[in-house]
PDB file of all heavy atoms in Angstrom:
ATOM      1  N   SER A  53      47.054  22.507  75.258  1.00 97.00           N
ATOM      2  CA  SER A  53      45.840  21.742  75.435  1.00 97.00           C
ATOM      3  C   SER A  53      45.551  21.548  76.883  1.00 97.00           C
ATOM      4  O   SER A  53      46.291  20.735  77.573  1.00 97.00           O
ATOM      5  CB  SER A  53      45.930  20.409  74.692  1.00 97.00           C
ATOM      6  OG  SER A  53      44.836  19.582  75.015  1.00 97.00           O
ATOM      7  N   GLN A 100      36.981  14.613  75.703  1.00 97.00           N
ATOM      8  CA  GLN A 100      38.020  15.284  74.948  1.00 97.00           C
ATOM      9  C   GLN A 100      37.640  15.323  73.417  1.00 97.00           C
ATOM     10  O   GLN A 100      36.719  14.633  73.040  1.00 97.00           O
ATOM     11  CB  GLN A 100      39.383  14.575  75.089  1.00 97.00           C
ATOM     12  CG  GLN A 100      40.032  14.786  76.420  1.00 97.00           C
ATOM     13  CD  GLN A 100      41.550  14.466  76.467  1.00 97.00           C
ATOM     14  OE1 GLN A 100      41.969  13.918  77.466  1.00 97.00           O
ATOM     15  NE2 GLN A 100      42.267  14.671  75.400  1.00 97.00           N
ATOM     16  N   GLY A 101      38.502  16.062  72.688  1.00 97.00           N
ATOM     17  CA  GLY A 101      38.233  16.077  71.206  1.00 97.00           C
ATOM     18  C   GLY A 101      38.382  14.708  70.585  1.00 97.00           C
ATOM     19  O   GLY A 101      37.549  14.295  69.718  1.00 97.00           O
ATOM     20  N   ARG A 102      39.325  13.889  71.079  1.00 96.00           N
ATOM     21  CA  ARG A 102      39.555  12.625  70.402  1.00 96.00           C
ATOM     22  C   ARG A 102      38.415  11.631  70.648  1.00 96.00           C
ATOM     23  O   ARG A 102      38.147  10.697  69.846  1.00 96.00           O
ATOM     24  CB  ARG A 102      40.911  12.015  70.867  1.00 96.00           C
ATOM     25  CG  ARG A 102      40.887  11.490  72.297  1.00 96.00           C
ATOM     26  CD  ARG A 102      42.309  11.289  72.794  1.00 96.00           C
ATOM     27  NE  ARG A 102      43.039  12.519  72.851  1.00 96.00           N
ATOM     28  CZ  ARG A 102      44.334  12.678  73.139  1.00 96.00           C
ATOM     29  NH1 ARG A 102      45.073  11.562  73.330  1.00 96.00           N
ATOM     30  NH2 ARG A 102      44.938  13.788  73.223  1.00 96.00           N
ATOM     31  N   ALA A 103      37.656  11.823  71.787  1.00 97.00           N
ATOM     32  CA  ALA A 103      36.471  11.029  71.975  1.00 97.00           C
ATOM     33  C   ALA A 103      35.360  11.357  70.931  1.00 97.00           C
ATOM     34  O   ALA A 103      34.701  10.500  70.398  1.00 97.00           O
ATOM     35  CB  ALA A 103      35.970  11.183  73.440  1.00 97.00           C
ATOM     36  N   GLU A 105      36.042  12.485  68.002  1.00 97.00           N
ATOM     37  CA  GLU A 105      36.550  11.865  66.744  1.00 97.00           C
ATOM     38  C   GLU A 105      36.238  10.390  66.685  1.00 97.00           C
ATOM     39  O   GLU A 105      35.773   9.859  65.667  1.00 97.00           O
ATOM     40  CB  GLU A 105      38.087  12.023  66.651  1.00 97.00           C
ATOM     41  CG  GLU A 105      38.523  13.464  66.473  1.00 97.00           C
ATOM     42  CD  GLU A 105      39.998  13.641  66.752  1.00 97.00           C
ATOM     43  OE1 GLU A 105      40.704  12.676  67.102  1.00 97.00           O
ATOM     44  OE2 GLU A 105      40.543  14.806  66.637  1.00 97.00           O
ATOM     45  N   PHE A 125      45.230  16.261  62.519  1.00 93.00           N
ATOM     46  CA  PHE A 125      45.910  16.262  63.750  1.00 93.00           C
ATOM     47  C   PHE A 125      46.296  14.780  64.095  1.00 93.00           C
ATOM     48  O   PHE A 125      45.688  13.873  63.573  1.00 93.00           O
ATOM     49  CB  PHE A 125      45.011  16.889  64.801  1.00 93.00           C
ATOM     50  CG  PHE A 125      45.711  16.921  66.165  1.00 93.00           C
ATOM     51  CD1 PHE A 125      46.764  17.695  66.455  1.00 93.00           C
ATOM     52  CD2 PHE A 125      45.099  16.253  67.274  1.00 93.00           C
ATOM     53  CE1 PHE A 125      47.348  17.724  67.638  1.00 93.00           C
ATOM     54  CE2 PHE A 125      45.721  16.199  68.498  1.00 93.00           C
ATOM     55  CZ  PHE A 125      46.854  17.005  68.708  1.00 93.00           C
ATOM     56  N   THR A 127      45.768  12.659  66.688  1.00 90.00           N
ATOM     57  CA  THR A 127      44.703  11.786  67.064  1.00 90.00           C
ATOM     58  C   THR A 127      43.640  11.579  66.059  1.00 90.00           C
ATOM     59  O   THR A 127      43.032  10.527  65.999  1.00 90.00           O
ATOM     60  CB  THR A 127      44.030  12.308  68.400  1.00 90.00           C
ATOM     61  OG1 THR A 127      43.384  13.598  68.081  1.00 90.00           O
ATOM     62  CG2 THR A 127      45.014  12.563  69.541  1.00 90.00           C
ATOM     63  N   THR A 128      43.406  12.629  65.243  1.00 95.00           N
ATOM     64  CA  THR A 128      42.444  12.504  64.147  1.00 95.00           C
ATOM     65  C   THR A 128      42.872  11.461  63.180  1.00 95.00           C
ATOM     66  O   THR A 128      42.106  10.629  62.764  1.00 95.00           O
ATOM     67  CB  THR A 128      42.274  13.881  63.525  1.00 95.00           C
ATOM     68  OG1 THR A 128      42.273  14.906  64.537  1.00 95.00           O
ATOM     69  CG2 THR A 128      40.913  13.957  62.758  1.00 95.00           C
ATOM     70  N   THR A 183      40.689  21.552  59.477  1.00 98.00           N
ATOM     71  CA  THR A 183      41.099  21.808  60.821  1.00 98.00           C
ATOM     72  C   THR A 183      41.457  23.292  60.959  1.00 98.00           C
ATOM     73  O   THR A 183      42.249  23.867  60.205  1.00 98.00           O
ATOM     74  CB  THR A 183      42.380  20.948  61.129  1.00 98.00           C
ATOM     75  OG1 THR A 183      42.047  19.602  60.892  1.00 98.00           O
ATOM     76  CG2 THR A 183      42.849  21.152  62.583  1.00 98.00           C
ATOM     77  N   THR A 185      42.586  26.315  63.731  1.00 94.00           N
ATOM     78  CA  THR A 185      43.636  26.550  62.777  1.00 94.00           C
ATOM     79  C   THR A 185      44.315  25.181  62.506  1.00 94.00           C
ATOM     80  O   THR A 185      44.141  24.228  63.298  1.00 94.00           O
ATOM     81  CB  THR A 185      44.668  27.535  63.275  1.00 94.00           C
ATOM     82  OG1 THR A 185      45.152  27.053  64.567  1.00 94.00           O
ATOM     83  CG2 THR A 185      44.025  28.939  63.580  1.00 94.00           C
ATOM     84  N   ASN A 187      46.647  22.867  63.111  1.00 87.00           N
ATOM     85  CA  ASN A 187      47.590  22.541  64.214  1.00 87.00           C
ATOM     86  C   ASN A 187      48.929  21.942  63.644  1.00 87.00           C
ATOM     87  O   ASN A 187      49.978  22.522  63.815  1.00 87.00           O
ATOM     88  CB  ASN A 187      46.973  21.704  65.234  1.00 87.00           C
ATOM     89  CG  ASN A 187      47.845  21.447  66.452  1.00 87.00           C
ATOM     90  OD1 ASN A 187      48.996  21.926  66.520  1.00 87.00           O
ATOM     91  ND2 ASN A 187      47.343  20.815  67.470  1.00 87.00           N
ATOM     92  N   ASP A 216      37.296  20.525  62.316  1.00 98.00           N
ATOM     93  CA  ASP A 216      37.990  20.226  63.566  1.00 98.00           C
ATOM     94  C   ASP A 216      38.192  21.586  64.107  1.00 98.00           C
ATOM     95  O   ASP A 216      39.063  22.388  63.694  1.00 98.00           O
ATOM     96  CB  ASP A 216      39.301  19.506  63.243  1.00 98.00           C
ATOM     97  CG  ASP A 216      40.083  19.191  64.460  1.00 98.00           C
ATOM     98  OD1 ASP A 216      39.892  19.866  65.492  1.00 98.00           O
ATOM     99  OD2 ASP A 216      40.904  18.223  64.437  1.00 98.00           O
ATOM    100  N   CYS A 218      39.007  23.024  67.058  1.00 97.00           N
ATOM    101  CA  CYS A 218      39.655  23.239  68.321  1.00 97.00           C
ATOM    102  C   CYS A 218      40.070  24.703  68.535  1.00 97.00           C
ATOM    103  O   CYS A 218      40.016  25.206  69.621  1.00 97.00           O
ATOM    104  CB  CYS A 218      40.945  22.395  68.407  1.00 97.00           C
ATOM    105  SG  CYS A 218      40.552  20.646  68.395  1.00 97.00           S
ATOM    106  N   ARG A 219      40.578  25.416  67.431  1.00 98.00           N
ATOM    107  CA  ARG A 219      40.982  26.758  67.587  1.00 98.00           C
ATOM    108  C   ARG A 219      40.206  27.719  66.702  1.00 98.00           C
ATOM    109  O   ARG A 219      40.746  28.539  65.942  1.00 98.00           O
ATOM    110  CB  ARG A 219      42.498  26.807  67.314  1.00 98.00           C
ATOM    111  CG  ARG A 219      43.275  26.029  68.238  1.00 98.00           C
ATOM    112  CD  ARG A 219      44.801  26.003  68.032  1.00 98.00           C
ATOM    113  NE  ARG A 219      45.476  25.107  69.011  1.00 98.00           N
ATOM    114  CZ  ARG A 219      45.441  23.709  68.942  1.00 98.00           C
ATOM    115  NH1 ARG A 219      44.871  23.188  67.949  1.00 98.00           N
ATOM    116  NH2 ARG A 219      46.012  23.044  69.894  1.00 98.00           N
ATOM    117  N   SER A 256      37.853  20.180  70.775  1.00 98.00           N
ATOM    118  CA  SER A 256      38.517  19.914  72.075  1.00 98.00           C
ATOM    119  C   SER A 256      38.375  21.202  72.914  1.00 98.00           C
ATOM    120  O   SER A 256      38.907  22.261  72.506  1.00 98.00           O
ATOM    121  CB  SER A 256      39.957  19.566  71.891  1.00 98.00           C
ATOM    122  OG  SER A 256      40.614  19.612  73.113  1.00 98.00           O
ATOM    123  N   LYS A 258      39.735  21.854  75.471  1.00 98.00           N
ATOM    124  CA  LYS A 258      41.024  22.175  76.113  1.00 98.00           C
ATOM    125  C   LYS A 258      41.726  23.202  75.346  1.00 98.00           C
ATOM    126  O   LYS A 258      42.895  23.657  75.797  1.00 98.00           O
ATOM    127  CB  LYS A 258      41.833  20.859  76.188  1.00 98.00           C
ATOM    128  CG  LYS A 258      41.058  19.772  76.971  1.00 98.00           C
ATOM    129  CD  LYS A 258      41.811  18.426  76.906  1.00 98.00           C
ATOM    130  CE  LYS A 258      43.063  18.486  77.747  1.00 98.00           C
ATOM    131  NZ  LYS A 258      43.659  17.144  77.882  1.00 98.00           N
ATOM    132  N   LYS A 259      41.362  23.608  74.164  1.00 98.00           N
ATOM    133  CA  LYS A 259      41.996  24.686  73.390  1.00 98.00           C
ATOM    134  C   LYS A 259      41.129  25.861  73.535  1.00 98.00           C
ATOM    135  O   LYS A 259      41.136  26.542  74.564  1.00 98.00           O
ATOM    136  CB  LYS A 259      42.147  24.213  71.937  1.00 98.00           C
ATOM    137  CG  LYS A 259      43.114  23.093  71.580  1.00 98.00           C
ATOM    138  CD  LYS A 259      43.310  22.000  72.477  1.00 98.00           C
ATOM    139  CE  LYS A 259      44.081  20.821  72.012  1.00 98.00           C
ATOM    140  NZ  LYS A 259      43.632  20.005  70.920  1.00 98.00           N
ATOM    141  N   GLY A 266      37.616  18.415  78.370  1.00 98.00           N
ATOM    142  CA  GLY A 266      36.306  18.468  77.694  1.00 98.00           C
ATOM    143  C   GLY A 266      36.363  18.597  76.248  1.00 98.00           C
ATOM    144  O   GLY A 266      37.389  18.851  75.694  1.00 98.00           O
TER     145      GLY A 266
HETATM  146  C1  LIG B   1      43.927  18.719  70.505  1.00 51.31           C
HETATM  147  C2  LIG B   1      43.402  18.432  69.234  1.00 51.31           C
HETATM  148  C3  LIG B   1      42.574  17.368  68.957  1.00 51.31           C
HETATM  149  C4  LIG B   1      42.214  16.330  69.922  1.00 51.31           C
HETATM  150  O1  LIG B   1      41.668  16.892  71.144  1.00 51.31           O
HETATM  151  P1  LIG B   1      41.918  16.215  72.584  1.00 51.31           P
HETATM  152  O2  LIG B   1      41.036  17.051  73.478  1.00 51.31           O
HETATM  153  O3  LIG B   1      43.449  16.358  72.875  1.00 51.31           O
HETATM  154  O4  LIG B   1      41.487  14.807  72.514  1.00 51.31           O
HETATM  155  C5  LIG B   1      42.102  17.211  67.652  1.00 51.31           C
HETATM  156  N1  LIG B   1      42.412  18.123  66.692  1.00 51.31           N
HETATM  157  C6  LIG B   1      43.149  19.163  66.907  1.00 51.31           C
HETATM  158  C7  LIG B   1      43.474  20.093  65.748  1.00 51.31           C
HETATM  159  C8  LIG B   1      43.730  19.381  68.158  1.00 51.31           C
HETATM  160  O5  LIG B   1      44.552  20.452  68.326  1.00 51.31           O
END
Side-chain angles (χ1 to χ4, degrees):
S53 176
Q100 284 197 217
R102 71 196 66 188
E105 293 165 357
F125 180 66
T127 64
T128 320
T183 305
T185 56
N187 185 357
D216 179 337
C218 296
R219 297 177 184 79
S256 170
K258 302 173 72 171
K259 292 35 174 292

